Amino acid sequence: SMQHLFEKKRRRRESHNAVERRRRDTINDRIAELATLLPDRDAVKMNKGVILKKSVDHIRFLHEKLSEYQQHIQELESLLNLYRVQ
């Protein structure tokens, strides 16, 4: 019957809406978590776009620092080897 078809369509739509809501909640939860990991204490009050941009910036900054530290370690190890030889 028509009533049955409408009911089926409504249930499918509600199911889809629930899935979509869970997806959005998961994304929002992860963005909120990112905000807590940023050095800027006010990050938790920022909008999602700003949180994502600052997260990308901070990850890039950390990658640069990591490269600097790795280079510094290599330089120190080279120096150490020089003194070991003598």
Side-chain angles (χ1 to χ4, degrees):
S1 70
M2 283 298 261
Q3 185 65 35
H4 178 70
L5 283 174
F6 284 134
E7 190 64 28
K8 193 173 178 182
K9 199 170 187 177
R10 184 184 63 78
R11 274 201 309 270
R12 202 166 70 222
R13 187 175 59 242
E14 284 176 358
S15 172
H16 170 76
N17 288 348
V19 168
E20 186 59 25
R21 193 178 313 112
R22 277 196 302 277
R23 187 188 71 82
R24 271 196 320 269
D25 288 346
T26 300
I27 291 169
N28 289 335
D29 289 348
R30 294 297 77 79
I31 292 172
E33 188 177 354
L34 273 175
T36 67
L37 297 173
L38 290 171
D40 188 344
R41 283 294 116 219
D42 294 331
V44 289
K45 299 175 192 146
M46 295 172 189
N47 73 55
K48 291 181 251 185
V50 172
I51 291 169
L52 290 171
K53 186 194 181 314
K54 285 183 176 282
S55 297
V56 169
D57 293 345
H58 190 57
I59 290 168
R60 287 208 171 107
F61 167 77
L62 292 174
H63 275 292
E64 285 174 28
K65 281 286 168 206
L66 181 62
S67 293
E68 288 172 23
Y69 292 142
Q70 286 170 332
Q71 191 177 342
H72 192 59
I73 287 169
Q74 282 180 337
E75 290 166 4
L76 291 172
E77 284 175 341
S78 297
L79 268 176
L80 196 59
N81 287 333
L82 272 177
Y83 287 111
R84 277 198 183 125
V85 168
Q86 293 172 357

